[in-house]
Amino acid sequence: MSNNMKNPRNEAVQAIDFQAALQHIEEQLRDSEDSETIINRLLKGAAEFYGANRASVVEADWALNIGLLTYEWCADGVEPEKDSLQNLVPDICRGWYDMFGKDKDIVIADIDKLKVEEADVYDILSRQNIKALVAVPLYTDGKISGFYGVDNPPQKYMEYAHNMLQIVGYFISSCIRRRNLLMQLENMSYKDALTKLGNRFLVEKFMKRLDKNKCIGAVYCDITGLKNVNDTQGHEAGDKLILRATDCLKKIFSDYG
């Protein structure tokens, strides 16, 4: 048999393993509660299925033009990179995002091939001891919002890796949307709509978690003349007065919760 011909038996074995892995992931999702736990389990499952030593998620913040490594699973003995890989400039991976936009995944069997044409990407990957990787895009509301992938999978799995990663990527994207929604709801529940500072509900939550053995201080402030500004200049002027007052408070007390 020619080396470039696929072995039907190997494909059948791969399909069985693939179905078993998906069943295992489905069981994990059913038993999980929060999005972060689910994402970490998905990364662990994807990495272990392909024999990779790391799996990670990079989310793009297009407003700030940075990328953030938000989730990471590492095999024993593999150094985590989550803390060191923050505020990545998306332009470094611009070629990847262009590929994702054409419905193509990133499959790099040997990063040494990047040394010349993608030197910046090569430097980042080589510092992490990455020799090969597969990455697929993540989507939010139909738009690419980042990517995730596995590092150093065995060469024999490279051509299959993207199949399962695409399916797992759907679940990860769903978890991120759920996380963002919960964060949005929490902000709406615990933050004042005008000042974006914590409201009375956040104070109550803070008090419940407070160590009763610790001493604290509380500062009460009143904005003198607010009613008069509202009555004479309108509520828009009153809102601006409130915002100026809260800016002063934030500058003075921002480090004190």
Side-chain angles (χ1 to χ4, degrees):
M1 179 180 291
S2 170
N3 289 335
N4 59 2
M5 293 182 64
K6 295 183 178 180
N7 187 326
R9 182 179 181 279
N10 288 342
E11 287 188 342
V13 171
Q14 181 69 17
I16 294 173
D17 290 343
F18 184 73
Q19 291 173 353
L22 289 180
Q23 183 179 4
H24 177 61
I25 287 174
E26 190 274 332
E27 291 172 354
Q28 289 184 320
L29 296 180
R30 199 167 53 216
D31 296 335
S32 299
E33 296 180 358
D34 62 284
S35 297
E36 186 165 337
T37 298
I38 295 174
I39 292 174
N40 288 329
R41 287 185 177 182
L42 288 169
L43 292 179
K44 181 176 185 291
E48 290 182 339
F49 178 70
Y50 286 111
N53 59 19
R54 183 192 289 117
S56 54
V57 172
V58 173
E59 295 183 61
D61 187 328
W62 299 115
L64 297 177
N65 199 38
I66 59 174
L68 303 170
L69 197 161
T70 51
Y71 300 96
E72 181 183 42
W73 177 87
C74 297
D76 292 340
V78 176
E79 193 72 23
E81 298 288 346
K82 185 176 178 180
D83 292 336
S84 60
L85 287 180
Q86 298 297 328
N87 299 329
L88 292 172
V89 180
D91 286 344
I92 292 178
C93 298
R94 180 58 57 190
W96 292 17
Y97 285 112
D98 290 342
M99 293 284 285
F100 294 148
K102 299 175 183 177
D103 294 326
K104 295 181 180 180
D105 301 326
I106 303 300
V107 180
I108 302 175
D110 182 3
I111 72 160
D112 286 340
K113 296 180 180 179
L114 305 178
K115 278 185 178 181
V116 178
E117 295 184 0
E118 299 182 56
D120 291 341
V121 176
Y122 172 80
D123 288 341
I124 292 175
L125 298 180
S126 60
R127 286 202 305 268
Q128 301 174 64
N129 294 317
I130 296 175
K131 308 299 182 185
L133 66 81
V134 179
V136 299
L138 298 173
Y139 295 90
T140 300
D141 298 328
K143 298 180 180 179
I144 296 173
S145 57
F147 59 89
Y148 97 103
V150 294
D151 301 341
N152 299 324
Q155 293 294 317
K156 62 181 179 180
Y157 290 147
M158 293 296 289
E159 66 176 301
Y160 298 106
H162 67 281
N163 293 327
M164 180 176 170
L165 291 180
Q166 286 178 337
I167 295 176
V168 173
Y170 170 81
F171 289 109
I172 291 178
S173 294
S174 178
C175 289
I176 290 175
R177 284 195 299 271
R178 178 189 177 196
R179 179 205 66 190
N180 292 344
L181 177 60
L182 290 175
M183 290 173 60
Q184 183 179 358
L185 291 174
E186 185 172 353
N187 283 335
M188 294 172 63
S189 300
Y190 291 117
K191 289 188 177 181
D192 176 69
L194 175 63
T195 65
K196 310 304 180 186
L197 293 179
N199 58 20
R200 54 174 290 188
F201 300 112
L202 187 59
V203 173
E204 292 174 0
K205 182 179 180 181
F206 173 79
M207 294 300 291
K208 288 178 181 178
R209 296 181 177 180
L210 195 62
D211 185 348
K212 300 301 188 293
N213 296 318
K214 288 186 176 180
C215 294
I216 66 167
V219 178
Y220 291 84
C221 297
D222 180 61
I223 303 178
T224 305
L226 176 61
K227 183 178 185 306
N228 182 58
V229 171
N230 284 331
D231 292 343
T232 59
Q233 302 178 42
H235 285 277
E236 184 177 350
D239 288 346
K240 291 180 179 179
L241 177 57
I242 293 173
L243 291 172
R244 289 199 299 271
T246 53
D247 284 342
C248 292
L249 291 174
K250 284 189 284 188
K251 290 177 182 177
I252 298 171
F253 298 108
S254 60
D255 294 333
Y256 299 93

